Amino acid sequence: DKDPKAQLHAQLASEEIAQAKQLMKDGDNRRADSILQRAAADAELAVMLAKEKAAKEELEQLHQKLNALKSGK
């Protein structure tokens, strides 16, 4: 929820899944498969972006703690 880019890709994946479902109902399974592959890639990117943001935040907190220890606080 904290990363707008991750949110965007998660939303894209959701929309692509809905589009693929409609294509399957219409009998266009080949196109639906292609869109589902794109949805999977967007979902994976959303997860990676969210993990990256969390890791950066954790690293910043560790730097702050280290600096506090170095300064004797």
Side-chain angles (χ1 to χ4, degrees), residues 40-72:
D42 279 323
E44 185 175 345
L45 180 56
V47 170
M48 292 299 127
L49 288 169
K51 286 182 178 181
E52 177 188 35
K53 183 162 181 77
K56 285 181 178 179
E57 288 173 355
E58 184 177 355
L59 181 60
E60 180 59 33
Q61 289 174 357
L62 290 172
H63 276 145
Q64 289 174 0
K65 288 179 182 179
L66 180 60
N67 289 336
L69 287 172
K70 283 182 179 179
S71 67

Side-chain angles (χ1 to χ4, degrees), residues 9-58:
H9 286 281
Q11 180 62 36
L12 285 172
S14 179
E15 290 170 5
E16 289 161 348
I17 290 169
Q19 184 181 7
K21 285 180 180 180
Q22 184 59 50
L23 286 167
M24 285 187 288
K25 285 181 185 177
D26 296 341
D28 194 350
N29 291 338
R30 186 179 303 191
R31 192 156 172 237
D33 182 59
S34 175
I35 290 174
L36 285 173
Q37 289 178 24
R38 192 170 46 196
D42 279 323
E44 185 175 345
L45 180 56
V47 170
M48 292 299 127
L49 288 169
K51 286 182 178 181
E52 177 188 35
K53 183 162 181 77
K56 285 181 178 179
E57 288 173 355
E58 184 177 355

